[in-house]
Amino acid sequence: MTATKFTPRVFSGIKPSGGLTLGNYLGAIKRWVDMQGPSFETVYCVVDLHAITVWQDPKDLRDGTREVAAGMLASGIDPEKSILFNQSQVPEHAELAWIFNCVARVGWMNRMTQFKDKAGSGKDAEKASLGLYAYPSLMAADILLYHATHVPVGEDQKQHVELTRDIAAKFNHDFGVDFFPLATPVIEGPGMRVMNLRDGSKKMSKSGESDMERINMTDDADTISKKFKKAKTDPEPLPETVEGLSSRPEAKNLVDIYAALSNMTAEQVIAQYPGAGWGTFKPALADLAVDKLAPISTEMKRLMADKAEIDRLLARGAERAREIATPILRQTYDIVGLLRS
Ligand code: AQP
């Protein structure tokens, strides 16, 4: 089955498990903004039910939900062009996730690398929540509840979108229907895997241990400059060609960040700074990042000052989301044979 009989529709989300990072911006939000337009219906979600798969302080969770929504709005998500809401206000997500828990196989979940990364192994993994283990099934529900055909995500989420396709295919096969589309992951460009500034082998995360390892969307200009200045690199200057970045993860990361922020390719960045030392490149990168992020963080602060307005926008977005989600869940119940009397 192809996705062609379905309305071209984009779904993607971000967990409010901390402040937004440059990784979330380049890997997700920046591209979500670009996908708004006549080619797709766009549905964007603050996935608070995913956040609680690890402990969240309730007040921080509420604030974080509003902050992530403010970050999306400040970056250019237009609540008129897109449906923007928080997941828990559309209970159909959790209901469809239960059905998918009964479709997905334990063996599939056991292969998910993000669970292994987050839960550790052995006794540590046993202490992880059942929700963290089942997370990919909820993510499949998020996507398929809207019959989404395209899912723009960072590279770390590729495996979960592939699992979503497996769940859709198994559901369709088990019930002999052509009901759920096989959604396509949209993963392209140099910002798809922004790495930790202190360790180029790990991705930049909101919940990483040290604040110095990430750029937060709310960091001020001095903090951004300091973090790039202290970012780990090797002693060599930038190479003359992009091939020279292989086996140099930290250097590659800084070049990729520059490329993603300036809408250039890594090749173009290297052509602009061939053989440059870090004393030249790091300040140029910091200036570029400040230039791009400062207007967003200023707008985020303005939006965050009016919580009632953010809440109003999210409630309106949830109403619009339910207009799509409710009939799809009802049809799913009918297909499965759950009686609606
Ligand atoms: N470092 C990254 N590079 C590129 N894309 C990234 N994304 C996250 N980190 C990077 C993309 O951002 C979207 C939302 O991700 P999420 O917040 O739902 O979950 P996550 O991937 O688990 O993000 P974090 O920052 O690592 O959160 P914590 O630390 O709380 O687990 C996704 O499209 C993701 O690919």
Side-chain angles (χ1 to χ4, degrees):
M1 188 184 73
T2 65
T4 46
K5 79 164 199 168
F6 297 93
T7 306
R9 187 176 287 143
V10 169
F11 178 92
S12 203
I14 294 194
K15 279 184 301 184
S17 48
L20 289 173
T21 69
L22 185 63
N24 299 132
Y25 177 66
L26 295 176
I29 303 176
K30 184 170 181 287
R31 290 178 313 125
W32 300 358
V33 173
D34 296 339
M35 291 181 99
Q36 296 180 123
S39 308
F40 295 105
E41 283 181 24
T42 43
V43 184
Y44 298 129
C45 187
V46 185
V47 287
D48 46 8
L49 296 176
H50 283 279
I52 61 167
T53 55
V54 299
W55 167 252
Q56 302 293 331
D57 174 85
K59 181 181 179 305
D60 292 348
L61 179 60
R62 266 187 295 272
D63 290 346
T65 301
R66 293 188 181 110
E67 186 180 324
V68 169
M72 292 183 189
L73 292 164
S75 303
I77 300 296
D78 178 340
E80 295 305 319
K81 288 188 191 151
S82 294
I83 297 178
L84 172 64
F85 66 105
N86 61 308
Q87 188 186 24
S88 59
Q89 296 209 71
V90 180
E92 286 84 351
H93 286 250
E95 289 182 68
L96 186 59
W98 180 256
I99 297 202
F100 288 165
N101 281 344
C102 302
V103 172
R105 306 289 93 183
V106 169
W108 300 357
M109 295 293 160
N110 285 343
R111 284 196 288 277
M112 295 298 110
T113 54
Q114 194 182 69
F115 178 77
K116 290 178 197 159
D117 291 347
K118 295 205 168 174
S121 54
K123 286 260 177 270
D124 285 342
E126 286 182 18
K127 288 187 201 141
S129 74
L130 188 54
L132 187 65
Y133 186 69
Y135 177 122
S137 170
L138 177 59
M139 181 162 156
D142 300 336
I143 295 165
L144 296 175
L145 190 55
Y146 300 92
H147 277 183
T149 54
H150 294 78
V151 188
V153 283
E155 215 170 65
D156 59 318
Q157 292 295 339
K158 185 170 182 227
Q159 196 183 32
H160 291 163
V161 183
E162 282 164 357
L163 184 93
T164 299
R165 292 168 64 91
D166 291 342
I167 290 176
K170 181 161 164 48
F171 182 97
N172 289 342
H173 174 265
D174 288 355
F175 294 100
V177 291
D178 184 14
F179 186 62
F180 286 119
L182 303 191
T184 307
V186 183
I187 304 172
E188 56 204 22
M192 290 309 93
R193 194 163 177 81
V194 178
M195 307 309 281
N196 179 319
L197 297 180
R198 312 294 286 181
D199 177 351
S201 69
K202 294 188 188 152
K203 78 160 191 153
M204 184 182 286
S205 275
K206 303 183 199 86
S207 55
E209 263 163 46
S210 155
D211 197 56
M212 290 301 286
E213 66 189 46
R214 63 180 163 264
I215 303 288
N216 304 302
M217 294 298 288
T218 48
D219 282 343
D220 61 26
D222 284 350
T223 310
I224 291 176
S225 298
K226 190 170 88 188
K227 286 179 176 176
F228 277 125
K229 198 166 148 206
K230 294 202 175 253
K232 185 180 165 201
T233 46
D234 54 44
E236 300 300 317
L238 283 180
E240 302 284 332
T241 65
V242 78
E243 288 72 32
L245 289 172
S246 61
S247 332
R248 296 180 61 188
E250 284 87 9
K252 179 174 183 315
N253 187 37
L254 296 187
V255 169
D256 281 346
I257 293 175
Y258 192 105
L261 281 171
S262 59
N263 294 322
M264 290 163 77
T265 60
E267 284 81 359
Q268 288 168 323
V269 177
I270 292 295
Q272 192 173 320
Y273 292 98
W278 295 113
T280 304
F281 188 71
K282 282 181 170 179
L285 174 57
D287 287 349
L288 173 67
V290 169
D291 207 43
K292 298 286 176 185
L293 301 185
I296 299 177
S297 76
T298 306
E299 178 62 2
M300 270 177 84
K301 282 184 195 122
R302 191 189 70 76
L303 291 165
M304 288 291 288
D306 189 353
K307 290 182 181 174
E309 175 60 6
I310 296 179
D311 292 1
R312 191 192 66 76
L313 286 173
L314 291 175
R316 170 80 190 108
E319 258 173 49
R320 291 173 62 202
R322 291 189 85 178
E323 283 166 19
I324 304 174
T326 305
I328 290 180
L329 185 73
R330 283 206 183 121
Q331 288 174 69
T332 311
Y333 273 31
D334 290 344
I335 291 169
V336 172
L338 299 171
L339 180 68
R340 290 194 291 124
S341 59

